[in-house]
């Protein structure tokens, strides 16, 4: 039986399959020792003429014959189950393993072991399980736990090895591929009550500067064909003896573009209860901002500033919100030392009426150049600083602290130059982070421009 516990080392990775050639079940060392001991006792009993040695070998021979009168044919079937519901960081994960016996022979022992993602804290998932499975039956192993970080996490691969016929036969390890679990980022509370700098849709919740059917009073004007009678201002009409109607501003929706800087990753992620890296802050902030504006009826799109330049088209509604969450699960840092990102984001890629929220740590100089380019092209740009407060490079030698101070001074200079170019930069702090910045951007957008 001890050879079954050799399944304890790391399970082969997903996609590893056992060769289909050769028998599924093979003799174990226990069967080899039984045959060897029986043969030696019989040989010595015949050679020495001792009947007691023959009688001593009889139980081993009879036991092996009884256990081997029926041998298994099929290998065990192992299935990984995982929670398919809407799972968020910090939520409970319901995972498990199911081992089925399709054969007519009982499995005396089944050793099962699985590998899980480090961000899924499953109970007892780091040790093997030993169970028995009856003929045409099954056994379940529950693996309750907690999801510690967003992303596409894996439960598995899992391997199982069974022993039957009193431990005289054992099957080869059966490996099943991993089961994916989608863990969505936790949505930090975010509210932005200030007006949008530009509203370009047909209907929505934001006040625009264009006249139309809305709730904001724009003034009083003379009656014109097509005006509704309920809009007539009788007080002004009686005073001037001409029909006048109340003019209103139309309520329209806005387009919000979330631009994610994925040129690099800074800081260590500690999960939902630990520290946040740049990528953690970026993904969680993007989910919160998208949820806020989509619930208001606005159109939201996403774009990566990286080598792949992934983009999600603008749309609105709950379906778009679920699509945004799925899109954010595939965000990965993409550092590169080449200049392949130059001119990747240009003005014609961004709508002239869209509010561009750039989530960036402002570490790579190309990100600052991109912000300045969008602002100079007349786009409404707001930069959200996602760099953790205590982020610093690892200490390599005695010059590291001095180099870190110089790097922070240079970064502060970059922030100052961006503000001089009209790029508002604000650190992400959850609810109300962008209120003051959006108010200033809306005022600048509504101010009259000199000719």
């Amino acid at each position: 039986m001890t050879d079954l516990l050799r399944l304890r080392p790391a399970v082969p990775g997903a996609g590893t399959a056992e060769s289909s050639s050769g028998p599924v079940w093979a003799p174990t060392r226990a069967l080899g020792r039984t045959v060897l001991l029986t043969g030696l006792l019989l040989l010595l009993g015949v050679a020495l003429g001792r009947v007691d040695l023959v009688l001593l070998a009889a139980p081993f021979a009879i036991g092996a014959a009884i256990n081997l009168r029926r041998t298994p044919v099929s290998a065990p079937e192992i299935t990984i189950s995982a929670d398919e519901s809407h799972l968020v960081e910090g939520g409970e994960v319901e995972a498990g393993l199911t081992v089925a016996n399709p054969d007519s022979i009982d499995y005396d022992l089944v050793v099962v072991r699985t590998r899980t993602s480090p961000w899924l804290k499953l109970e007892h998932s780091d040790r093997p399980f030993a169970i028995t499975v009856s003929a045409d039956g099954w056994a379940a192993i529950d693996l309750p736990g907690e999801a510690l970080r967003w992303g596409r996490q894996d439960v598995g691969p899992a391997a199982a090895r069974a022993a039957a016929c009193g431990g005289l036969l054992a099957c080869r390890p059966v490996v099943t591929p991993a089961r994916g679990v989608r863990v969505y980022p936790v949505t930090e509370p975010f509210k932005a009550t200030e007006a949008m700098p530009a509203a370009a849709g047909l209907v929505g919740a934001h006040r625009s500067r264009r006249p139309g059917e809305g709730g904001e009073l724009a003034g009083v004007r003379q009656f014109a064909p097509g005006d509704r009678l309920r809009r007539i201002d009788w007080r002004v009409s009686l005073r001037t003896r001409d029909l006048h109607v109340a003019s209103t501003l139309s309520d329209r929706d806005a387009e919000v573009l979330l631009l994610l800087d994925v040129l690099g990753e800074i800081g260590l992620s500690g999960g939902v209860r630990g520290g946040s890296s740049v990528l953690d802050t970026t993904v969680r902030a993007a989910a919160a901002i998208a949820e806020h504006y989509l619930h208001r009826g606005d159109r939201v799109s996403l774009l990566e500033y990286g080598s792949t330049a992934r983009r999600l088209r603008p749309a609105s509604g709950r379906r778009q919100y679920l699509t945004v969450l799925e899109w954010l699960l595939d965000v990965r840092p993409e550092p590169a030392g080449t200049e392949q990102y130059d001119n990747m984001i240009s003005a014609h890629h961004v709508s002239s009426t869209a509010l561009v929220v750039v989530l960036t740590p402002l570490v790579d100089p190309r990100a600052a150049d991109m912000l300045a380019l969008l602002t100079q092209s007349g786009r409404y740009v707001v930069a959200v600083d996602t760099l953790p407060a205590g982020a610093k490079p690892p200490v390599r030698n005695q010059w590291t602290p001095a180099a870190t101070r110089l790097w922070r001074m240079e970064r502060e200079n970059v922030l100052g130059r961006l503000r001089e170019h009209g790029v508002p930069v604000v650190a992400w702090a959850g609810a109300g982070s962008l209120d003051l910045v959006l108010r200033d951007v809306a005022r600048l957008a509504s101010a009259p421009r000199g000719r």
Side-chain angles (χ1 to χ4, degrees), residues 128-373:
F129 294 88
I131 57 176
T132 60
V133 185
S134 59
D136 294 327
W138 57 274
I141 301 173
D142 294 330
L143 297 175
E146 181 184 13
L148 301 180
R149 189 174 185 261
W150 59 271
R152 301 185 185 275
Q153 314 299 344
D154 288 334
V155 179
R161 193 176 186 188
C165 299
L168 300 180
L169 296 179
C171 71
R172 297 175 309 183
V174 178
V175 181
T176 187
R179 179 73 175 270
V181 177
R182 295 173 295 180
V183 182
Y184 297 108
V186 61
T187 304
E188 300 183 12
F190 169 71
K191 293 181 180 179
T193 58
E194 297 297 333
M196 295 292 294
L202 297 178
V203 294
H206 298 287
R207 185 188 65 187
S208 68
R209 289 172 290 172
R210 299 181 181 180
E213 295 294 332
E216 188 71 18
L217 183 64
V220 180
R221 58 174 176 81
Q222 286 190 352
F223 182 86
D227 290 335
R228 297 185 179 182
L229 296 179
R230 63 185 180 89
R231 293 285 188 180
I232 297 178
D233 191 327
W234 293 105
R235 182 176 300 177
V236 178
S237 300
L238 291 175
R239 186 173 65 250
T240 60
R241 298 187 179 277
D242 289 326
L243 285 178
H244 283 73
V245 294
S247 177
T248 58
L249 297 176
S250 62
D251 295 332
R252 303 195 175 203
D253 65 343
E255 179 181 345
V256 180
L257 171 63
L258 302 180
L259 184 57
L260 280 61
D261 181 1
V262 294
L263 293 182
E265 171 72 311
I266 301 175
L268 297 177
S269 176
V272 68
R273 293 186 178 88
S276 298
S277 64
V278 166
L279 209 62
D280 289 339
T281 304
T282 299
V283 170
R284 292 166 184 165
I289 297 173
E291 180 185 18
H292 170 76
Y293 285 113
L294 287 172
H295 284 179
R296 292 174 62 91
D298 297 324
R299 289 169 287 119
V300 175
S301 60
L302 290 93
L303 176 63
E304 278 187 356
Y305 185 63
S307 60
T308 58
R310 290 195 310 135
R311 188 183 185 101
L312 179 64
R313 62 176 181 81
S316 60
R318 177 171 176 78
R319 182 176 181 181
Q320 178 69 359
Y321 175 61
L322 298 178
T323 306
V324 167
L325 293 179
E326 289 285 342
W327 192 90
L328 290 174
L329 294 182
D330 297 322
V331 174
R332 299 289 184 273
E334 298 177 359
T338 61
E339 301 297 327
Q340 59 180 325
Y341 303 136
D342 290 350
N343 301 324
M344 190 200 73
I345 301 296
S346 57
H348 69 274
H349 289 149
V350 181
S351 173
S352 60
T353 58
L355 171 64
V356 185
V357 180
V358 183
L359 303 167
T360 173
L362 288 173
V363 173
D364 198 300
R366 290 169 291 187
D369 296 339
M370 177 264 297
L371 286 170
L373 177 64

Side-chain angles (χ1 to χ4, degrees), residues 113-117 120-129 143:
R113 186 174 176 85
T114 183
R115 177 188 295 171
T116 61
S117 169
L120 293 179
K121 188 178 180 181
L122 302 182
E123 185 177 354
H124 304 310
S125 63
D126 58 342
R127 66 176 180 84
F129 294 88
L143 297 175

